[in-house]
Protein backbone atom coordinates (compact mmCIF):
# COMPACT_ATOMS: atom_id res chain seq x y z
CA UNK A 1 0.00 0.00 0.00
CA UNK A 2 1.51 3.32 -1.00
CA UNK A 3 1.34 6.42 1.20
CA UNK A 4 -0.20 9.60 -0.12
CA UNK A 5 1.24 13.04 0.53
CA UNK A 6 -1.26 15.37 2.16
CA UNK A 7 -2.87 18.25 0.30
CA UNK A 8 -1.55 21.67 1.27
CA UNK A 9 -4.07 24.54 1.08
CA UNK A 10 -3.46 28.03 2.50
CA UNK A 11 -5.60 31.18 2.51
CA UNK A 12 -3.78 34.52 2.23
CA UNK A 13 -6.68 36.76 3.26
CA UNK A 14 -4.61 39.95 2.99
CA UNK A 15 -3.96 39.34 -0.71
CA UNK A 16 -7.21 37.50 -1.37
CA UNK A 17 -5.50 34.36 -2.66
CA UNK A 18 -5.81 30.63 -1.99
CA UNK A 19 -2.77 28.50 -2.86
CA UNK A 20 -3.09 24.70 -2.82
CA UNK A 21 -0.75 21.89 -3.93
CA UNK A 22 -0.89 18.11 -4.17
CA UNK A 23 1.28 15.32 -5.55
CA UNK A 24 -0.65 12.80 -7.66
CA UNK A 25 0.65 9.44 -8.87
CA UNK A 26 -0.55 10.00 -12.43
CA UNK A 27 0.74 11.62 -15.59
CA UNK A 28 -0.16 15.30 -16.27
CA UNK A 29 -2.30 14.33 -19.26
CA UNK A 30 -4.45 12.05 -17.11
CA UNK A 31 -4.80 14.69 -14.38
CA UNK A 32 -5.83 17.22 -17.02
CA UNK A 33 -8.47 14.80 -18.32
CA UNK A 34 -9.87 14.27 -14.84
CA UNK A 35 -10.18 18.05 -14.38
CA UNK A 36 -11.94 18.69 -17.69
CA UNK A 37 -13.85 15.64 -18.97
CA UNK A 38 -17.47 15.68 -17.73
CA UNK A 39 -17.82 11.91 -17.34
CA UNK A 40 -14.77 11.90 -15.06
CA UNK A 41 -15.49 15.03 -13.02
CA UNK A 42 -18.86 13.79 -11.80
CA UNK A 43 -17.29 10.54 -10.60
CA UNK A 44 -14.63 12.02 -8.32
CA UNK A 45 -15.69 15.56 -7.35
CA UNK A 46 -17.51 15.21 -4.04
CA UNK A 47 -18.36 12.86 -1.20
CA UNK A 48 -21.52 11.72 0.56
CA UNK A 49 -20.50 13.66 3.67
CA UNK A 50 -19.99 17.01 1.91
CA UNK A 51 -21.58 17.37 -1.54
CA UNK A 52 -21.64 15.73 -4.95
CA UNK A 53 -21.06 17.26 -8.37
CA UNK A 54 -23.99 16.03 -10.48
CA UNK A 55 -23.33 17.77 -13.81
CA UNK A 56 -20.25 19.26 -15.47
CA UNK A 57 -19.97 20.92 -18.87
CA UNK A 58 -16.86 22.49 -20.36
CA UNK A 59 -16.15 23.84 -23.85
CA UNK A 60 -12.38 23.34 -24.02
CA UNK A 61 -10.74 26.39 -25.58
CA UNK A 62 -9.97 29.96 -24.58
CA UNK A 63 -13.27 31.78 -24.17
CA UNK A 64 -15.21 28.54 -23.80
CA UNK A 65 -17.88 28.32 -21.13
CA UNK A 66 -17.89 25.89 -18.23
CA UNK A 67 -20.79 25.23 -15.88
CA UNK A 68 -21.55 22.81 -13.08
CA UNK A 69 -24.39 21.69 -10.85
CA UNK A 70 -24.27 19.79 -7.59
CA UNK A 71 -26.17 18.72 -4.51
CA UNK A 72 -25.16 19.26 -0.90
CA UNK A 73 -25.42 16.56 1.76
CA UNK A 74 -28.63 18.22 3.04
CA UNK A 75 -30.24 17.95 -0.40
CA UNK A 76 -29.94 21.58 -1.46
CA UNK A 77 -28.54 22.29 -4.93
CA UNK A 78 -25.81 24.65 -6.11
CA UNK A 79 -24.33 25.97 -9.35
CA UNK A 80 -21.03 27.43 -10.53
CA UNK A 81 -19.87 28.68 -13.92
CA UNK A 82 -17.37 30.82 -15.80
CA UNK A 83 -15.20 31.10 -18.91
CA UNK A 84 -11.85 29.55 -19.77
CA UNK A 85 -9.00 32.05 -19.91
CA UNK A 86 -6.07 29.76 -20.66
CA UNK A 87 -5.85 26.20 -21.98
CA UNK A 88 -2.37 24.70 -22.41
CA UNK A 89 -2.94 20.96 -22.41
CA UNK A 90 -1.75 19.30 -20.21
CA UNK A 91 0.22 21.88 -18.21
CA UNK A 92 -2.11 24.81 -17.47
CA UNK A 93 -5.78 25.69 -17.18
CA UNK A 94 -7.30 28.99 -16.01
CA UNK A 95 -10.94 30.02 -15.68
CA UNK A 96 -13.17 32.70 -14.26
CA UNK A 97 -15.27 31.41 -11.36
CA UNK A 98 -18.71 32.41 -10.10
CA UNK A 99 -20.79 30.34 -7.69
CA UNK A 100 -24.23 30.84 -6.22
CA UNK A 101 -23.01 29.91 -2.71
CA UNK A 102 -20.63 32.86 -2.95
CA UNK A 103 -23.29 35.28 -4.13
CA UNK A 104 -22.18 35.10 -7.75
CA UNK A 105 -19.08 37.19 -7.08
CA UNK A 106 -16.34 36.74 -9.68
CA UNK A 107 -12.91 35.26 -9.01
CA UNK A 108 -10.28 33.35 -10.99
CA UNK A 109 -8.90 29.79 -10.65
CA UNK A 110 -5.58 28.65 -12.13
CA UNK A 111 -4.29 25.07 -12.36
CA UNK A 112 -0.60 24.41 -13.08
CA UNK A 113 0.56 20.83 -13.72
CA UNK A 114 4.20 19.80 -13.58
CA UNK A 115 5.18 16.18 -13.87
CA UNK A 116 6.89 13.18 -15.33
CA UNK A 117 5.59 9.98 -16.83
CA UNK A 118 4.41 8.81 -13.39
CA UNK A 119 3.80 11.78 -11.09
CA UNK A 120 2.17 15.22 -11.30
CA UNK A 121 2.52 18.15 -8.94
CA UNK A 122 -0.72 20.10 -9.20
CA UNK A 123 -0.68 23.71 -7.99
CA UNK A 124 -3.95 25.61 -7.71
CA UNK A 125 -4.26 29.37 -7.25
CA UNK A 126 -7.68 30.91 -6.56
CA UNK A 127 -7.37 34.69 -6.67
CA UNK A 128 -9.34 37.96 -6.76
CA UNK A 129 -10.81 37.32 -3.31
CA UNK A 130 -9.54 40.61 -1.84
CA UNK A 131 -11.60 42.05 1.04
CA UNK A 132 -13.45 38.74 1.34
CA UNK A 133 -11.60 36.93 4.15
CA UNK A 134 -14.45 34.53 5.00
CA UNK A 135 -14.80 33.45 1.38
CA UNK A 136 -11.04 33.09 1.06
CA UNK A 137 -10.84 30.78 4.07
CA UNK A 138 -13.86 28.78 2.91
CA UNK A 139 -12.35 28.25 -0.54
CA UNK A 140 -9.05 27.13 1.04
CA UNK A 141 -10.85 24.37 2.92
CA UNK A 142 -12.96 23.53 -0.13
CA UNK A 143 -9.96 23.11 -2.43
CA UNK A 144 -8.22 20.95 0.18
CA UNK A 145 -11.15 18.52 -0.08
CA UNK A 146 -11.37 18.73 -3.87
CA UNK A 147 -7.69 18.01 -4.50
CA UNK A 148 -7.84 15.15 -2.01
CA UNK A 149 -10.74 13.59 -3.91
CA UNK A 150 -8.86 14.02 -7.18
CA UNK A 151 -5.75 12.39 -5.72
CA UNK A 152 -7.73 9.41 -4.44
CA UNK A 153 -9.58 9.01 -7.74
CA UNK A 154 -6.42 8.87 -9.85
CA UNK A 155 -4.29 6.84 -7.45
CA UNK A 156 -6.42 4.76 -5.04
CA UNK A 157 -4.63 3.27 -2.04
CA UNK A 158 -4.24 -0.29 -3.19
CA UNK A 159 -1.49 -2.58 -4.40
CA UNK A 160 -3.90 -3.90 -7.04
CA UNK A 161 -7.24 -2.66 -8.30
CA UNK A 162 -9.67 -3.53 -11.06
CA UNK A 163 -11.13 -1.19 -13.63
CA UNK A 164 -13.90 -1.40 -16.21
CA UNK A 165 -12.97 0.23 -19.51
CA UNK A 166 -15.67 1.33 -21.93
CA UNK A 167 -14.61 2.01 -25.51
CA UNK A 168 -16.94 4.40 -27.33
CA UNK A 169 -16.74 4.21 -31.15
CA UNK A 170 -16.62 7.33 -33.33
CA UNK A 171 -20.28 6.89 -34.35
CA UNK A 172 -23.28 4.85 -33.10
CA UNK A 173 -23.53 2.70 -36.25
CA UNK A 174 -19.79 2.03 -36.43
CA UNK A 175 -20.17 -1.76 -36.21
CA UNK A 176 -22.54 -1.72 -39.19
CA UNK A 177 -20.72 0.53 -41.67
CA UNK A 178 -17.00 0.07 -40.98
CA UNK A 179 -14.71 0.84 -43.88
CA UNK A 180 -12.03 -1.65 -44.94
CA UNK A 181 -9.44 0.47 -43.12
CA UNK A 182 -11.54 0.40 -39.96
CA UNK A 183 -11.96 -3.37 -40.20
CA UNK A 184 -8.17 -3.70 -40.32
CA UNK A 185 -7.86 -1.33 -37.36
CA UNK A 186 -10.31 -3.39 -35.30
CA UNK A 187 -8.25 -6.51 -35.99
CA UNK A 188 -5.25 -4.73 -34.47
CA UNK A 189 -7.44 -3.65 -31.54
CA UNK A 190 -8.58 -7.21 -30.78
CA UNK A 191 -5.03 -8.49 -31.19
CA UNK A 192 -3.84 -5.92 -28.66
CA UNK A 193 -6.43 -7.01 -26.09
CA UNK A 194 -5.78 -10.69 -26.77
CA UNK A 195 -2.16 -10.10 -25.79
CA UNK A 196 -3.22 -8.34 -22.56
CA UNK A 197 -5.63 -11.19 -21.79
CA UNK A 198 -2.87 -13.76 -22.25
CA UNK A 199 -0.58 -11.72 -19.98
CA UNK A 200 -3.25 -11.61 -17.25
CA UNK A 201 -3.59 -7.82 -17.36
CA UNK A 202 -7.04 -8.08 -18.93
CA UNK A 203 -9.65 -10.24 -17.20
CA UNK A 204 -12.17 -10.08 -20.06
CA UNK A 205 -12.94 -7.97 -23.12
CA UNK A 206 -15.38 -7.82 -26.02
CA UNK A 207 -18.20 -5.89 -27.73
CA UNK A 208 -21.49 -5.00 -26.04
CA UNK A 209 -24.64 -5.24 -28.17
CA UNK A 210 -26.29 -2.06 -26.93
CA UNK A 211 -29.51 -1.18 -28.86
CA UNK A 212 -28.25 2.40 -28.96
CA UNK A 213 -25.01 1.38 -30.63
CA UNK A 214 -22.35 -1.26 -30.03
CA UNK A 215 -19.44 -0.35 -27.77
CA UNK A 216 -16.49 -2.22 -26.33
CA UNK A 217 -15.74 -3.27 -22.76
CA UNK A 218 -12.71 -4.62 -20.95
CA UNK A 219 -12.00 -5.43 -17.31
CA UNK A 220 -8.37 -5.02 -16.32
CA UNK A 221 -6.19 -5.28 -13.24
CA UNK A 222 -3.82 -2.39 -12.53
CA UNK A 223 -2.07 -0.81 -9.56
CA UNK A 224 -3.87 2.52 -10.10
CA UNK A 225 -6.12 4.33 -12.54
CA UNK A 226 -3.19 5.98 -14.29
CA UNK A 227 -1.91 2.53 -15.25
CA UNK A 228 -5.34 1.74 -16.73
CA UNK A 229 -5.19 4.93 -18.80
CA UNK A 230 -1.78 3.88 -20.09
CA UNK A 231 -3.36 0.67 -21.39
CA UNK A 232 -6.01 2.63 -23.28
CA UNK A 233 -3.49 5.11 -24.69
CA UNK A 234 -1.58 2.22 -26.26
CA UNK A 235 -4.65 0.71 -27.91
CA UNK A 236 -4.26 0.94 -31.73
CA UNK A 237 -7.73 2.48 -32.09
CA UNK A 238 -6.76 5.38 -29.80
CA UNK A 239 -3.38 5.83 -31.46
CA UNK A 240 -5.15 6.00 -34.84
CA UNK A 241 -6.82 9.32 -33.94
CA UNK A 242 -10.10 8.23 -35.56
CA UNK A 243 -12.41 9.45 -32.79
CA UNK A 244 -12.52 6.49 -30.42
CA UNK A 245 -12.78 7.41 -26.71
CA UNK A 246 -12.39 5.41 -23.51
CA UNK A 247 -14.17 5.86 -20.19
CA UNK A 248 -12.70 4.21 -17.08
CA UNK A 249 -14.59 3.13 -13.96
CA UNK A 250 -12.93 1.85 -10.78
CA UNK A 251 -14.32 -1.43 -9.44
CA UNK A 252 -14.16 -1.62 -5.60
CA UNK A 253 -14.53 -5.39 -5.81
CA UNK A 254 -14.31 -8.02 -8.51
CA UNK A 255 -16.31 -11.16 -7.73
CA UNK A 256 -15.17 -14.22 -9.65
CA UNK A 257 -16.01 -17.91 -9.56
CA UNK A 258 -13.30 -20.53 -9.48
Amino acid sequence: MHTKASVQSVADTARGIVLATVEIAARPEHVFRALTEPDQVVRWWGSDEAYRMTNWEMDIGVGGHWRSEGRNADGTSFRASGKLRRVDRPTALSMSWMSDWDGGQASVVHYALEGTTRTTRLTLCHEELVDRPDACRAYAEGWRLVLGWLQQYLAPQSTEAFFLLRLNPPRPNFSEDMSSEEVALMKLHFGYWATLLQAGTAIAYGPVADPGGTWGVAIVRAAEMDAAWVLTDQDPVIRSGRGFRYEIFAMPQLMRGE
Side-chain angles (χ1 to χ4, degrees):
M1 183 175 295
H2 60 274
T3 302
K4 294 179 180 298
S6 61
V7 178
Q8 304 295 320
S9 184
V10 178
D12 185 339
T13 56
R15 298 169 58 202
I17 294 175
V18 172
L19 187 64
T21 60
V22 65
E23 297 281 346
I24 300 176
R27 294 190 292 174
E29 174 63 27
H30 298 159
V31 177
F32 192 93
R33 286 178 179 175
L35 289 169
T36 57
E37 294 184 357
D39 57 345
Q40 292 204 56
V41 173
V42 296
R43 292 208 297 271
W44 67 262
W45 197 315
S47 72
D48 293 338
E49 298 76 21
Y51 64 88
R52 287 284 184 185
M53 197 71 74
T54 58
N55 183 60
W56 181 272
E57 301 173 32
M58 180 174 281
D59 301 323
I60 290 292
V62 175
H65 289 270
W66 72 271
R67 58 197 65 83
S68 67
E69 299 174 348
R71 188 165 298 279
N72 294 306
D74 63 4
T76 58
S77 61
F78 62 84
R79 294 178 176 82
S81 61
K83 286 187 177 182
L84 298 183
R85 294 187 169 192
R86 179 184 178 186
V87 180
D88 291 331
R89 188 185 191 107
T91 59
L93 183 70
S94 297
M95 64 191 74
S96 60
W97 182 284
M98 292 181 292
S99 59
D100 57 7
W101 68 83
D102 192 24
Q105 298 195 61
S107 54
V108 179
V109 174
H110 307 278
Y111 296 102
L113 293 80
E114 301 177 86
T116 64
T117 57
R118 294 192 59 81
T119 305
T120 299
R121 180 177 178 81
L122 172 61
T123 301
L124 177 144
C125 179
H126 192 160
E127 60 182 5
E128 298 188 15
L129 300 169
V130 178
D131 298 326
R132 299 169 58 202
D134 291 342
C136 193
R137 284 189 285 267
Y139 275 121
E141 175 58 19
W143 286 119
R144 184 187 66 79
L145 292 174
V146 170
L147 296 189
W149 293 327
L150 175 63
Q151 182 189 52
Q152 177 61 32
Y153 169 72
L154 288 170
Q157 287 187 308
S158 174
T159 55
E160 181 180 65
F162 296 93
F163 300 90
L164 185 148
L165 283 52
R166 170 173 173 153
L167 177 62
N168 298 301
R171 55 188 183 277
N173 59 342
F174 175 80
S175 64
E176 302 169 3
D177 64 359
M178 285 187 285
S179 66
S180 58
E181 292 84 0
E182 289 171 332
V183 169
L185 180 61
M186 292 307 296
K187 289 181 179 178
L188 294 175
H189 163 73
F190 283 112
Y192 172 74
W193 281 102
T195 300
L196 293 179
L197 186 67
Q198 185 175 19
T201 302
I203 307 302
Y205 72 95
V208 176
D210 188 332
T214 301
W215 44 274
V217 66
I219 297 176
V220 303
R221 70 174 88 235
E224 55 199 21
M225 183 168 288
D226 187 61
W229 278 115
V230 170
L231 295 176
T232 66
D233 288 344
Q234 295 173 349
D235 189 328
V237 298
I238 297 299
R239 296 170 67 89
S240 72
R242 289 177 174 264
F244 290 86
R245 183 175 63 87
Y246 271 101
E247 297 176 59
I248 299 183
F249 303 86
M251 299 180 66
Q253 287 183 301
L254 181 65
M255 313 304 290
R256 292 181 290 178
E258 296 299 329

